[in-house]
């Protein structure tokens, strides 16, 4: 029962570097999304996808790219990391249809120095 | 505007006390879903409950209970006889029928002292 798997769990980047946070789910969920969590701000939606080949922007998309080539995978790319992107990132997924529970990965702690 | 407000930033109680975490939401939609998640010190997000907007029946699960009142747009969470293991940040969240976006409150950090 893997559920939603995120890698890496911890990462330190230098300003300007690029990296990809990986997210995979084995539940055949249609919806996948990325959130970032910052102190006092709760979780904010970065990007989301309603199915393979379809992505859309959330509340705070700037500085991030996503793609959804398969149902299982939804990587989040930081093209040129900035200190403001220091955060905890959560990937989530859920089944299609209304009301279904959203399941989260364990989180990825990213520090940009 | 779609918004979730958790006015209590931090709550500290002594073990065995009852504690209520408040959640107030705003939405124009008539169909929506409300959630509570727990984030223990280890950092993962743990699903606790989902409630549909058309079901105002309150729910009890062990020491946890939830009071959903559409008239006041509130979805409060009560822990009875709190335990140290309940110490965590608790998030209330709102989702609409269209799309998979969750809107989170800012979270309430609960500290249960022995």
């Amino acid at each position: 029962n893997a559920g939603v798997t995120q890698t890496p769990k911890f990462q330190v980047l230098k300003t300007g570097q690029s990296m990809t946070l990986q997210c995979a789910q084995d539940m055949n969920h249609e919806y996948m999304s990325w959130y970032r969590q910052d102190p006092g701000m709760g979780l904010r939606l970065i990007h989301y996808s309603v199915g393979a080949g379809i992505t859309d922007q959330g509340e705070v998309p700037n500085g991030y790219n996503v793609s959804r080539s398969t149902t299982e995978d939804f990587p989040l790319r930081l093209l040129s990391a900035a200190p403001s992107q220091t955060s905890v990132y959560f990937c989530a997924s859920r089944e299609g249809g209304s009301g279904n529970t959203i399941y989260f990965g364990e989180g990825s702690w990213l520090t940009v120095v | 505007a779609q918004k979730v407000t958790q006015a209590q930033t931090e709550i500290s109680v002594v073990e065995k006390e009852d504690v209520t975490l408040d959640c107030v939401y705003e939405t124009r939609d008539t169909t929506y879903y409300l959630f509570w998640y727990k984030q223990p010190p280890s950092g993962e997000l743990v699903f606790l409950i989902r409630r549909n907007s058309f079901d105002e029946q309150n729910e009890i699960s062990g020491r946890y209970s939830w009071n959903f009142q559409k008239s006041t747009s509130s979805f409060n969470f009560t822990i009875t006889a709190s335990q140290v293991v309940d110490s965590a940040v608790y998030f209330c969240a709102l989702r609409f029928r269209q799309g998979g976006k969750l809107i989170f409150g800012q979270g309430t950090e609960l500290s249960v002292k022995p």
Side-chain angles (χ1 to χ4, degrees), chain B residues 50-113:
Chain B
R50 182 190 81 212
R51 174 60 73 215
N52 306 326
S53 58
F54 44 86
D55 179 5
E56 284 194 72
Q57 187 174 4
N58 291 327
E59 183 159 337
I60 298 174
S61 176
R63 296 184 297 106
Y64 295 170
S65 62
W66 291 268
N67 183 2
F68 176 33
Q69 293 196 342
K70 287 180 77 171
S71 60
T72 56
S73 297
S74 65
F75 186 43
N76 297 338
F77 172 32
T78 297
I79 302 174
T80 302
S82 59
Q83 300 176 2
V84 173
V85 293
D86 295 327
S87 295
V89 180
Y90 292 86
F91 290 97
C92 180
L94 169 69
R95 190 174 77 76
F96 313 105
R97 187 161 62 97
Q98 300 297 326
K101 292 182 279 188
L102 267 180
I103 294 177
F104 284 86
Q106 293 175 318
T108 297
E109 182 171 4
L110 174 65
S111 175
V112 181
K113 301 188 186 310

Side-chain angles (χ1 to χ4, degrees), chain B residues 8-48:
Chain B
Q8 304 150 307
T9 306
E10 297 178 14
I11 300 177
S12 182
V13 300
V14 176
E15 207 169 17
K16 298 184 183 175
E17 283 186 31
D18 299 347
V19 58
T20 295
L21 283 61
D22 297 332
C23 173
V24 174
Y25 62 92
E26 295 176 30
T27 178
R28 293 190 214 92
D29 286 17
T30 55
T31 301
Y32 51 89
Y33 303 86
L34 295 163
F35 300 80
W36 275 96
Y37 286 87
K38 175 183 180 180
Q39 187 178 39
S42 49
E44 73 272 23
L45 283 163
V46 178
F47 165 76
L48 294 178

